[in-house]
Structure formats: C-alpha cells, structure tokens
Amino acid sequence: MDPDDSPTEGEDEGKGKGADGPRPRRARRLLKWSAAVLALLIVGTAGAGYLYYRQLNHNIKKDPLNLGDSKVAEPTPNAAGQTPLNILLIGSDARDSEENQQLGGARETFGSTPLADVQMLVHLSADRSNMSVVSMPRDTLVEIPKCTDPDDGTVYPASNGRTMTNQSLGHGGPGCTVATWQELTGIHIDHFVMVDFAGVVSMADAVGGVPVCVDANIHSRDSQGHGSGLKLEKGTHPVKGEQALQWLRTRYGFEDGSDLARAKAQHMYMNSLVRQLRENATLSNPNKLRRLAEKATEALTVDPGLDTVKKLYDLSTELRKVEPERITMTTMPNRYVGARVEPTEDAEQLFRLVREDIALDGKDAKPVKAEPKTPADPAADDADIAVQVRNGTLTDTLAAAPGRTSTVAGALQEKGFTGATADTTGALSEKRTVVQYPSADLEGDARRVADALGIPASSVKRSTDVSGVTLVVGADWREGTRYEAPEKDNTTPKTAQALNGADDKACMHVSPGFTW
C-alpha cells in the first residue's frame, strides 16, 4: 500500500477524489520506483570502476525472466539486422526490511507477499533513435497465466477470470509479471528490472536531486491526515531523498486529487530525471558514482541477462543513444470496471505500435516498401489450388457476418479456383483478413489466392495451425467479394496521454485547498 494511501489516513480502498466527485483509484505510483531504475539504466555504473565489481555483482539479486509456459516470438530484425529492446520495469511494494517498512508505512503488511504496484514497459527502437514507455495501472484487470515458482516449484494456476495485475508478482516472482505482460500485449520482453522503496530514496540522493515545478505553494496534507506530506513553495525546486518519494506518491493537492494527477506528476518527474542525468556534471565525481552504484545494485532484482554491472552498463549505453526529445511516455488507455480498470481498444492500438517498432512521437522516417521475395516454390495452376475459407468476422461487439465463407469461396471459384471450399464449422475472431499456409511449398499457392482477391502479401502468413492454404475472412472484410485493405492508423491514441521527454516547461497545478 502506498504511504499516501495508508490506513492511518482514513481512506477507504478503491476511493479517491476525481473531477466528478469520488472515483476509483487508478495507476497508483506508476513511476515511483521505476524513475530510480531508469536513472541506473541511463547513467550506468561507469566510473564506479571495477574496484567494487565483485561486490556490486553480489548485490544484484537475480530471478528467471519468464515463469509462464507460453513464449512470444522475438521481433524480426530490421534491414540493418537490428532488433528492438523491451525492458519491463517493476516497482515492488515489499516491506521486507525496516527501511522499506519505514518508507512505505502500513506496518501490518511487513513481510507479506509483495505486489507489483508499478509496471512500465520501456521500448528501445531497433535503430536506437527513439524510446517509448508504456505504464499500466496497478489495478488493471488481466488474466494471470499459470506460473511456476523457481525456488520451490510451487505451481500457481492461471487466474480464474481476471484479477488485478499487481498480484502477478506474488505468483512466483517478477517472471510471472513478465508472463502476464506478454500474454496481454503480444510483446516479446527481453529483460526486467525490479526495485523497492529504499532504492528510490537512496538513488535520488545519489544523483543530487530532480527539479520539479508547482504553480502555487503546496502542502499535501488535509485536516484528516490525507496526503504525502509534500511541502514546496511555488516554482521549480530540486527534490531528493524522501521528498522525491513524497512527490512521486502525492495525490492530495495535485489538480483534481485523482491518481490521474499523480501519474502526470510522476511522468514529469521522470522526464526531468532523464534530463538531469544527461546534464549533471556532478556525476563525474567518483564517490557519488560509487554510492549510486552501491545503492542501485542493492535495490535491484533483475533477470539473468542483466545480472552483472557490465551487462547493466552495456544496456545503459544503448539507452543513452536516445535524446530526450525522442522519448515518449504514456499510460495504457483504460476504462473503469467498478473500482478497477481494463484495457480499451486504444490500448491494443498502443501495444501494436510497440510490437511493430513504430515511434510513438510520430517522427519515424517514411518506410520504404520492400518488394516481397518470390516464393521458392511457384504457385500451382489456380484450378489445382485447394483453399479452405473460414469466417473470422466475429468480434466482441458484433456477431459473425452471415454467409461470408460461401460468398468468398464462391468468388474464388468464379475466378478459377475450383478447389475453394467453405468451412462452416463455426466462426472465428480475427481482426484482419489473413491467408495462412503450413509449409514453404505452399507459400506460392497462398500468395496467388491473396493476389486474386486483393489481399496484400503482408497478410500471407505461415502457420502451423493449418494443414493447407486457409483464407480467414477477418472482421475488416464483412461484406463484398474484393478485399480493400484498411489504412493503418499509426498515430498514438490521445487516451495514452503522451508526454515528450524534452518538455521542461511542465508544472503541476495545485488544488486551492492545499496551498499555504
């Protein structure tokens, strides 16, 4: 539990003040710990020297990357052979030490199962020109997959229905949070980094403070004891240590007092932190860097791919290639379900942009359309191609379009594909029309079927789920006999609340009731 929301403040779970009165909490502490983690990733531990190399490596705690059964394929390299990097940042609310308990409050939770109260995916583009950050509210309802604890072999069955995403950490460790993200988004995750309460305070001290701005004097404390205790005068001030933690958990006093306002303040903090780390000359001080390295490594749990100072430094080198103006931070678009939230259609749009390595700032160079390679095995005569047509027009809101298999199969037959048949066993749910084939010797046939109906070559996919050429008529083709490929919308949804990393003019609005 966030100390700003601890039971001593008299606040009921699931309630918070919104623009229209009481509203459910959302996106608590989206960036609280992850800001400190990003500090380590960007600065790296160069300068700490290797005097403490063994000690620092020993400080770093390690856990397996993925505790689930299913895997997501790695992205295809670009023309230069580069692939993107996806790192999941996790903030644990663990009260497993006196320091963490003091900072986190809620003494009754000491030693209890930790929650993944901060979850943020950092996507570094394949060409290293831009970075996208997607944070997920802690109370997002998701299906947690089956996970196996690597320490004692305990098997946690898949959740019975949807549950809060922050509970995934208690299903064997951070590797289950990774598995949950991959199931939801279809994004391959390369690494995770998890950090706790104490890491935020110690690392904020080590970097010398982060400038933040308020448009009026603020004291985040009301007559009933609600608030983080943050007290600042109007203007821009560097915050560090516990004051930085107060800023990151402040809700009472910012804008409408909701978690949306808190998330906005956290995004501002992270942007400022990134700029500060790139500009702060004091980080050349060996003692400061040594303390930062020691405190950071003590606060971290990582996957085996990041389990040494050298690996973390190499990763930080990659991240440093991105200028602040090419960093875009977003929150997963969501809607309320009672006191919780769920992803919206805009969330899937955001996930697709990340999967396809499309920059969220819209500044990608126009891609050059590559000509599809000629299949090694050419297509047979149209009359000799056997193709099965399936109905995939079922959606969450629309019933399957009737008669699609017979209509499209008939259109193929009229074009000379006499081996086309309609599969009427049941409707599927496929957003985009696709032509699938099981092996390389049928690729030419699949391409020929697609070409005859106006389906682009990019929608011809190899799949082990089919035994022959199979045309799945998707929800994007509910009528007609000629496919019209929809224009792809590659813009970042407005509901993602994108914030650019170079925006140094942002200032939090203070609620009138919390000024002094």
Side-chain angles (χ1 to χ4, degrees):
M1 180 176 292
D2 189 332
D4 191 27
D5 302 310
S6 64
T8 59
E9 296 174 342
E11 180 180 0
D12 294 331
E13 177 66 29
K15 295 182 180 178
K17 187 174 67 175
D20 301 315
R23 66 186 302 171
R25 292 186 202 160
R26 59 177 292 194
R28 287 191 199 168
R29 297 166 294 172
L30 286 178
L31 306 176
K32 179 180 297 183
W33 300 269
S34 41
V37 176
L38 194 60
L40 172 72
L41 297 183
I42 292 174
V43 176
T45 50
Y50 282 81
L51 292 174
Y52 295 96
Y53 184 76
R54 290 179 181 273
Q55 176 186 332
L56 296 178
N57 286 345
H58 180 73
N59 287 347
I60 301 170
K61 296 178 283 294
K62 295 164 278 290
D63 259 357
L65 176 62
N66 186 351
L67 303 184
D69 291 336
S70 62
K71 311 297 178 185
V72 173
E74 296 184 20
T76 302
N78 63 13
Q82 303 165 302
T83 55
L85 271 176
N86 294 308
I87 306 112
L88 185 63
L89 306 183
I90 303 170
S92 165
D93 76 341
R95 270 70 166 186
D96 54 1
S97 69
E98 289 186 8
E99 185 177 10
N100 275 329
Q101 183 184 354
Q102 182 179 10
L103 293 168
R107 291 180 175 81
E108 70 280 0
T109 64
F110 183 82
S112 62
T113 302
L115 299 171
D117 274 357
V118 177
Q119 299 176 36
M120 177 188 303
L121 183 70
V122 175
H123 172 84
L124 182 62
S125 66
D127 62 6
R128 305 306 188 250
S129 68
N130 66 88
M131 186 189 302
S132 303
V133 181
V134 180
S135 54
M136 184 190 300
R138 67 184 291 273
D139 52 2
T140 301
L141 295 175
V142 298
E143 293 184 358
I144 300 176
K146 185 183 81 171
C147 293
T148 303
D149 191 314
D151 294 328
D152 58 16
T154 299
V155 176
Y156 294 87
S159 60
N160 183 16
R162 298 188 302 175
T163 188
M164 286 174 58
T165 183
N166 68 344
Q167 295 182 22
S168 59
L169 187 58
H171 290 216
C176 194
T177 306
V178 168
T180 301
W181 266 79
Q182 291 196 155
E183 287 278 329
L184 176 67
T185 66
I187 298 169
H188 174 80
I189 295 177
D190 300 281
H191 301 291
F192 74 79
V193 177
M194 184 169 71
V195 68
D196 57 23
F197 277 123
V200 179
V201 172
S202 59
M203 291 172 69
D205 271 337
V207 299
V210 176
V212 296
C213 176
V214 287
D215 67 0
N217 295 348
I218 181 174
H219 186 199
S220 178
R221 185 73 72 197
D222 67 11
S223 59
Q224 297 177 313
H226 299 130
S228 68
L230 177 71
K231 191 171 185 178
L232 288 174
E233 293 183 356
K234 176 181 177 180
T236 301
H237 310 275
V239 294
K240 59 182 180 178
E242 290 192 53
Q243 195 173 46
L245 191 63
Q246 287 174 334
W247 174 276
L248 291 164
R249 63 183 175 83
T250 291
R251 179 159 60 85
Y252 290 96
F254 282 157
E255 302 194 350
D256 64 358
S258 72
D259 276 329
L260 289 174
R262 173 157 51 191
K264 183 176 179 181
Q266 292 167 342
H267 281 90
M268 289 182 184
Y269 178 94
M270 176 168 274
N271 276 342
S272 183
L273 175 65
V274 171
R275 294 191 298 269
Q276 185 77 355
L277 289 169
R278 297 179 70 93
E279 300 167 2
N280 193 340
T282 64
L283 291 174
S284 61
N285 183 309
N287 288 331
K288 285 184 177 287
L289 278 169
R290 185 189 65 203
R291 288 197 298 273
L292 173 61
E294 289 175 354
K295 294 297 185 182
T297 53
E298 288 170 358
L300 294 181
T301 301
V302 300
D303 68 274
L306 293 177
D307 63 355
T308 66
V309 171
K310 175 64 165 59
K311 292 175 183 177
L312 286 168
Y313 177 65
D314 288 344
L315 176 59
S316 75
T317 301
E318 292 296 291
L319 292 168
R320 280 178 61 88
K321 294 176 181 178
V322 181
E323 296 296 327
E325 57 266 23
R326 294 302 313 276
I327 297 174
T328 306
M329 287 180 293
T330 63
T331 298
M332 180 199 76
N334 59 80
R335 58 176 163 249
Y336 286 113
V337 181
R340 310 304 178 201
V341 299
E342 66 180 3
T344 62
E345 293 76 13
D346 281 355
E348 173 51 35
Q349 164 80 346
L350 190 64
F351 299 151
R352 180 183 67 80
L353 296 179
V354 174
R355 285 196 301 268
E356 297 180 8
D357 196 25
I358 297 171
L360 298 187
D361 61 7
K363 296 179 181 178
D364 273 338
K366 293 289 184 182
V368 178
K369 286 190 175 180
E371 290 295 325
K373 294 181 181 178
T374 303
D377 195 347
D381 292 337
D382 292 353
D384 295 329
I385 297 176
V387 53
Q388 186 179 67
V389 181
R390 306 194 67 183
N391 189 343
T393 59
L394 180 68
T395 73
D396 292 340
T397 57
L398 295 173
R404 291 306 290 152
T405 54
S406 56
T407 297
V408 176
L412 281 169
Q413 291 170 0
E414 289 179 3
K415 293 177 180 294
F417 293 85
T418 55
T421 59
D423 181 352
T424 59
T425 56
L428 305 174
S429 181
E430 192 75 43
K431 290 182 179 179
R432 296 291 178 99
T433 296
V434 62
V435 181
Q436 300 173 322
Y437 62 94
S439 54
D441 60 309
L442 291 178
E443 181 181 1
D445 293 356
R447 290 271 194 93
R448 175 66 192 124
V449 169
D451 184 62
L453 293 171
I455 300 170
S458 60
S459 294
V460 179
K461 307 286 186 182
R462 185 169 179 171
S463 172
T464 57
D465 294 333
V466 297
S467 57
V469 177
T470 302
L471 166 58
V472 182
V473 181
D476 59 345
W477 192 18
R478 294 179 63 87
E479 58 184 22
T481 57
R482 179 76 181 176
Y483 180 75
E484 298 293 338
E487 286 289 328
K488 271 191 174 182
D489 179 9
N490 289 335
T491 59
T492 300
K494 291 183 179 179
T495 51
Q497 304 171 52
L499 184 65
N500 184 268
D503 183 359
D504 60 359
K505 305 300 182 185
C507 201
M508 288 303 298
H509 174 63
V510 176
S511 304
F514 290 85
T515 58
W516 54 279

